[in-house]
Amino acid sequence: MTEYWRWKEYRWHDEEVDWRAGELVTAGVDVGSVSSQAVVMVDGELYAFSSMRTGSDSPESARKAMDWAMEGTGLTLDDVGFVVGTGYGRVNVPFSDKAITEIACHARGANYMYGPGVRTVLDMGGQDCKVIRCDERGKVSAFVMNDKCAAGTGRGMEVFADLLAIPIEEVGELSLQVEEEPPPVSCTCVVFAKSEATALLREGWPKSKVLAAYCSAMAHRVVTLLEQVGVEEEFAITGGIAKNIGIVRRLEDEIGVKAQSAKYDTQIAGGLGGALFAQSLLKKKLNAN
Amino acid sequence: MKAHYGYKDGAGDFFIIIDTDKCAGCEDRGCASACPEGVLEIITDDYDDLVAAVVEDHRKKIKYSCAPCKPDRDRAPLPCVAACAPGALTHSW
């Protein structure tokens, strides 16, 4: 059976960099509700990362993500000077030296990815959405989270990809192929949204129109969060949903602010922030000795 | 960052709000010892700074934990707020 929700798991490392020549090798492991990422940095520069699905066992997911990020590099855990665990499973990273909230890590990761001008970060994750205000160092000044529900999150989008039998990577693009924007579906609950979408399909709505209605609902739900904190430019989006152009475009239209374009995979922001925190903490530790 | 510890319910908003930027610069940290109920503690935050925080066990009953310091009348300044030299600590109710 085709699993339309299944997004691509992958790893990367910079083959031009020799980590042995670096002084500070640090890592951030972001064990989220849906995906896990391990990011390795050498002297504050991105060196390697992996992005994979979180299993039912958080410590095992953390280990697998870290092993995969280090695969083919000659790195072992003993070579990594400091590891920060973050995300929902941050306390379940058995090899971490410190656990730091994903809110702080995403802000710091976004600061690295998009530059010090970023003031508002929208983290659209697998299970929740957070709006984070930060300063020029990526330090959190305020944040707000969504209510407990998968509607408006990555998991909700996975449910819709499966319902409509559309590969998740194509959902955003397809949702934009409508002549007129349909009214949004209910987005109070992903189960209600799914049943409403099923009814619309029975009425004969094309898949693109149903997706447009759901993407629009998701964007609107996030906008209410953004309004609570206030959008200050520059504005950046992190997390898996940042790759969904259908939601990003609608979000931008509704708030009237354009999101920064990403140079890196938006899903690694949390792990990247963790690795940056790890670097600062390792320096502090070495200076103290 | 203004960290909010507490909850809101039908009776109102019950939060102790700590401005961690102001709090991190304080060396006195008299707030924790000033609280007769042991509501406050000093923790290391995400930025490796020592800051005051509300003890986990008190977060969902903060209205009742703080009640002895909040009589109906002749209310004296709250000990924790009075002891907070940088003015980083406030109560929402």
Side-chain angles (χ1 to χ4, degrees):
Chain A
M1 196 179 104
T2 310
E3 294 172 305
Y4 293 97
W5 57 266
R6 193 172 278 281
W7 39 268
K8 191 182 160 200
E9 296 179 309
Y10 75 112
R11 68 166 303 282
W12 169 90
H13 80 268
D14 190 342
E15 290 178 3
E16 290 175 12
V17 173
D18 179 12
W19 62 267
R20 292 169 191 85
E23 280 179 34
L24 303 173
V25 181
T26 58
V29 182
D30 180 1
V31 182
S33 55
V34 168
S35 69
S36 294
Q37 287 81 26
V39 176
V40 181
M41 297 191 91
V42 176
D43 294 337
E45 293 299 323
L46 181 61
Y47 172 63
F49 69 82
S50 67
S51 178
M52 62 196 295
R53 200 154 181 91
T54 301
S56 55
D57 182 339
S58 293
E60 187 59 21
S61 298
R63 257 187 229 106
K64 277 185 182 170
M66 192 66 201
D67 288 346
W68 203 26
M70 295 189 298
E71 196 177 286
T73 63
L75 259 175
T76 66
L77 258 184
D78 291 339
D79 301 312
V80 183
F82 206 100
V83 181
V84 161
T86 187
Y88 270 84
R90 62 182 175 275
V91 293
N92 287 321
V93 180
F95 49 87
S96 80
D97 297 289
K98 188 175 178 175
I100 294 181
T101 63
E102 67 272 25
I103 297 156
C105 287
H106 269 271
R108 189 131 182 204
N111 180 272
Y112 180 92
M113 290 167 79
Y114 299 96
V118 168
R119 291 290 174 276
T120 312
V121 180
L122 170 63
D123 166 29
M124 297 185 79
Q127 193 173 267
D128 65 22
C129 282
K130 305 175 194 79
V131 180
I132 307 163
R133 287 277 291 272
C134 59
D135 64 14
E136 71 285 354
R137 294 164 299 161
K139 190 172 180 182
V140 179
S141 52
F143 74 92
V144 64
M145 273 177 79
N146 68 323
D147 290 333
K148 291 187 186 85
C149 182
T153 70
R155 184 66 196 127
M157 193 45 86
E158 288 179 0
V159 167
F160 264 69
D162 251 1
L163 172 73
L164 300 170
I166 308 283
I168 194 135
E169 286 89 356
E170 296 169 23
V171 158
E173 201 63 58
L174 187 64
S175 79
L176 294 172
Q177 291 171 17
V178 285
E179 284 176 13
E180 199 182 330
E181 196 69 7
V185 292
S186 154
C187 204
T188 314
C189 161
V190 77
V191 178
F192 293 166
K194 189 180 170 186
S195 61
E196 197 177 331
T198 308
L200 294 173
L201 287 169
R202 300 291 169 267
E203 276 178 31
W205 279 34
K207 288 178 180 180
S208 57
K209 196 173 170 185
V210 174
L211 277 176
Y214 185 62
C215 288
S216 174
M218 274 183 79
H220 187 68
R221 191 179 160 112
V222 173
V223 167
T224 56
L225 273 186
L226 282 161
E227 282 168 350
Q228 284 179 46
V229 175
V231 183
E232 198 182 327
E233 289 191 78
E234 297 169 7
F235 166 61
I237 310 177
T238 61
I241 293 285
K243 299 174 190 172
N244 184 317
I245 189 70
I247 293 171
V248 173
R249 196 71 60 77
R250 288 177 174 89
L251 198 58
E252 288 174 339
D253 289 347
E254 209 166 325
I255 60 174
V257 178
K258 204 149 175 56
Q260 297 285 302
S261 53
K263 284 183 282 183
Y264 305 91
D265 184 335
T266 53
Q267 266 183 294
I268 67 164
L272 189 58
L276 288 163
F277 270 113
Q279 193 204 7
S280 308
L281 292 164
L282 179 58
K283 273 186 190 168
K284 203 170 177 178
K285 190 174 150 187
L286 293 174
N287 288 340
N289 291 338
Chain B
M1 183 176 76
K2 286 188 176 169
H4 288 61
Y5 296 99
Y7 58 91
K8 67 176 175 182
D9 62 15
D13 289 10
F14 305 100
F15 292 100
I16 288 182
I17 303 146
I18 297 168
D19 186 330
T20 53
D21 292 325
K22 288 182 184 171
C23 185
C26 173
E27 288 181 4
D28 181 35
R29 298 193 186 102
C31 55
S33 53
C35 175
E37 299 295 317
V39 165
L40 297 167
E41 62 177 342
I42 305 297
I43 60 159
T44 306
D45 72 1
D46 285 345
Y47 301 96
D48 223 26
D49 293 323
L50 288 173
V51 293
V54 172
V55 174
E56 185 79 43
D57 286 351
H58 286 286
R59 291 180 192 175
K60 289 184 178 166
K61 55 175 184 179
I62 196 75
K63 177 185 171 187
Y64 305 101
S65 301
C66 293
C69 293
K70 297 184 180 219
D72 284 350
R73 61 186 73 183
D74 302 326
R75 186 185 286 187
L78 294 167
C80 55
V81 175
C84 177
L89 197 152
T90 49
H91 286 223
S92 69
W93 78 108

